[in-house]
């Protein structure tokens, strides 16, 4: 992109149009929140290693459609394999993105991305370092096979056992999307990390 940068909020329409150049408009509109996207992207990335999901009104992605699908038998509750398909559109979008185009847009908007990161309270830190650290954190998510046991102490389900429940919000995402989708996401993140780190 050749257009000079101004501020994050002034760039909404331009950012949206440039994102439409690397993925289908209908897909992006249905899966992402493109309003104030730079700020949302920065906040979302920064919060992935935390313990709780960011409130949906602040995230860069739209909510996953439908409700979690849970199986039940005489032994308890389990995360249904049917649940994994709810995340397919997001993983399909991620895999479809051209790495070179994504990195080019990221580098072009990096001054605004960095400014948004500093606005979060990190005046002396670099967002690119944070992004690489977060990718590394996500790549360390355990590969979980077999049935995922759940408990339901109140309204919401939780993972059975302290090890899974202690994972970060970002790492728990890899459980919810299923082993196949987790492998797809990790493969793409590894490619992007290599480009971001200049390796």
């Amino acid at each position: 992109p050749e257009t000079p940068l101004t501020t994050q909020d002034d760039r909404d329409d331009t950012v949206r149009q440039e994102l439409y150049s690397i993925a289908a408009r209908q897909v992006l509109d249905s899966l992402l929140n493109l309003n104030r996207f730079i700020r949302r992207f920065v906040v979302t990335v920064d919060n992935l290693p935390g313990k709780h999901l960011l409130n949906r009104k602040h995230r860069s992605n739209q909510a996953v459609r439908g409700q979690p699908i849970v199986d039940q038998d005489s032994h308890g509750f389990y995360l249904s394999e049917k649940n994994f398909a709810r995340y397919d559109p997001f993983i399909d979008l991620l895999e479809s993105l051209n790495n070179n185009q994504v990195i080019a847009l990221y580098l072009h908007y990096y001054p605004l991305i960095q400014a948004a990161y500093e606005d979060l309270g990190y005046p002396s830190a670099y967002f690119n370092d944070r992004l690489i650290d977060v990718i590394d954190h996500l790549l360390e998510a355990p590969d979980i096979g077999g049935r995922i046991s759940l408990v339901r102490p109140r309204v919401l389900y939780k993972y059975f056992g302290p090890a899974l429940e202690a994972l970060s919000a970002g790492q728990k995402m890899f459980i919810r999307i299923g082993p196949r989708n987790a492998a797809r996401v990790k493969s793409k993140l590894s490619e992007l990390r290599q480009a971001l780190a200049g390796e």
Side-chain angles (χ1 to χ4, degrees):
E2 302 286 335
T3 313
L5 300 178
T6 51
T7 67
Q8 291 98 331
D9 294 337
D10 292 341
R11 301 290 297 177
D12 264 3
D13 290 339
T14 304
V15 170
R16 186 178 290 110
Q17 292 304 316
E18 288 168 356
L19 288 171
Y20 291 156
S21 74
I22 65 173
R25 177 174 185 156
Q26 183 177 1
V27 172
L28 290 177
D29 286 345
S30 66
L31 299 180
L32 301 181
N33 189 338
L34 300 180
N35 180 39
R36 304 179 76 189
F37 183 76
I38 288 177
R39 291 181 187 272
R40 293 179 186 278
F41 168 69
V42 169
V43 171
T44 299
V45 169
D46 188 52
N47 277 267
L48 285 173
K51 290 299 179 187
H52 303 286
L53 277 177
L54 190 67
N55 187 294
R56 69 178 58 184
K57 69 180 181 180
H58 300 300
R59 296 199 301 254
S60 56
N61 62 287
Q62 300 281 4
V64 179
R65 293 182 179 176
Q67 296 297 317
I69 304 172
V70 176
D71 295 329
Q72 183 178 10
D73 62 19
S74 59
H75 298 287
F77 299 105
Y78 304 92
L79 186 64
S80 174
E81 292 187 4
K82 296 177 183 178
N83 190 67
F84 305 151
R86 298 171 58 227
Y87 298 88
D88 285 348
F90 292 92
I91 286 85
D92 291 343
L93 170 61
L94 179 66
E95 280 191 329
S96 74
L97 296 176
N98 179 284
N99 292 346
N100 292 333
Q101 290 180 315
V102 170
I103 297 299
L105 276 179
Y106 173 75
L107 293 177
H108 176 71
Y109 284 105
Y110 189 78
L112 298 185
I113 292 170
Q114 177 63 29
Y117 187 55
E118 291 175 7
D119 286 346
L120 289 182
Y122 306 105
S124 302
Y126 294 103
F127 178 77
N128 197 66
D129 293 339
R130 177 62 169 166
L131 178 56
I132 291 174
D133 286 344
V134 170
I135 291 175
D136 287 341
H137 172 77
L138 296 178
L139 292 175
E140 291 170 357
D143 297 322
I144 306 296
R147 294 202 299 182
I148 305 299
S149 297
L150 305 172
V151 293
R152 194 177 190 183
R154 291 193 177 87
V155 177
L156 301 177
Y157 291 97
K158 293 185 176 183
Y159 296 108
F160 178 79
L164 294 186
E165 194 56 38
L167 295 175
S168 70
Q171 290 180 336
K172 285 178 181 176
M173 172 188 69
F174 285 90
I175 301 174
R176 288 195 301 276
I177 66 179
R180 178 177 173 272
N181 282 339
R184 295 167 66 193
V185 172
K186 286 185 177 183
S187 176
K188 188 69 169 184
L189 289 179
S190 294
E191 294 173 5
L192 292 172
R193 188 207 185 282
Q194 186 174 12
L196 288 166
E199 298 174 352

